[in-house]
Amino acid sequence: MKKSITHYITVIFGLLLLGAGAYLIKIIIEPQGIMRALPYVCIGLGCGIFGHGMGEIISSRAIKNHPDVEKQMKIDKQDERNVAIGNSTKAKAYDMMIFVFGPLMLAFALMGIDMVAVLLLVFAYLFVVGYGIYYRCKFDKEM
């Protein structure tokens, strides 16, 4: 029961964000600084959160009367083969990201893109690489 309450709260929060964004767009006539983007960020987050909550509510109601389908979905989600496939997919995507974002950052730097944007991209890239190294060391110690 707690999960369904959480989903309803998620839907309400999404609608509140969506409404707040629409309200900010309506009342602010000449936005300056962060207020130029904030309403649209609120609308985007509100739509995403609302959609996620509604998707969970609809899927839980759809399988509520079919316990056999719910059991099969749970088995499929926790199946070792599916977990291994998911982990392998993530690893391949990470490997691809390393080789795509490196040259992209270099191209942005050579094109003269604003230094703040390039540095943000570099810091995010280094954070992800550092995160990967940390967990690699952690799992090497465990196994």
Side-chain angles (χ1 to χ4, degrees):
M1 194 65 176
K2 289 190 185 260
K3 281 191 174 183
S4 67
I5 291 172
T6 306
H7 298 317
Y8 285 111
I9 291 172
T10 304
V11 167
I12 291 169
F13 183 66
L15 286 174
L16 286 174
L17 267 177
L18 182 66
Y23 179 73
L24 287 173
I25 289 173
K26 188 77 171 165
I27 68 162
I28 299 175
I29 295 169
E30 290 186 31
Q32 304 257 332
I34 194 167
M35 291 308 290
R36 292 173 67 192
L38 183 66
Y40 300 104
V41 170
C42 287
I43 288 175
L45 286 174
C47 287
I49 292 170
F50 171 76
H52 176 72
M54 281 305 292
E56 291 293 329
I57 290 171
I58 291 169
S59 68
S60 66
R61 282 195 179 176
I63 64 171
K64 185 165 88 171
N65 296 328
H66 304 285
D68 53 334
V69 173
E70 182 178 10
K71 183 178 178 183
Q72 185 62 39
M73 286 175 60
K74 195 173 194 180
I75 290 171
D76 289 343
K77 193 175 192 179
Q78 296 173 347
D79 183 33
E80 287 179 23
R81 181 176 173 269
N82 290 337
V83 171
I85 290 171
N87 289 338
S88 175
T89 305
K90 289 177 195 173
K92 290 288 186 185
Y94 173 78
D95 290 341
M96 178 62 74
M97 184 209 66
I98 294 298
F99 293 111
V100 168
F101 282 107
L104 181 66
M105 289 183 295
L106 182 63
F108 280 176
L110 293 174
M111 287 175 12
I113 301 294
D114 188 25
M115 187 61 74
V116 174
V118 174
L119 288 177
L120 284 173
L121 188 59
V122 168
F123 289 138
Y125 177 80
L126 291 176
F127 176 75
V128 170
V129 170
Y131 191 77
I133 291 170
Y134 169 77
Y135 274 103
R136 175 65 188 230
C137 293
K138 180 180 176 182
F139 291 149
D140 279 345
K141 287 179 185 177
E142 287 178 6
M143 296 179 181

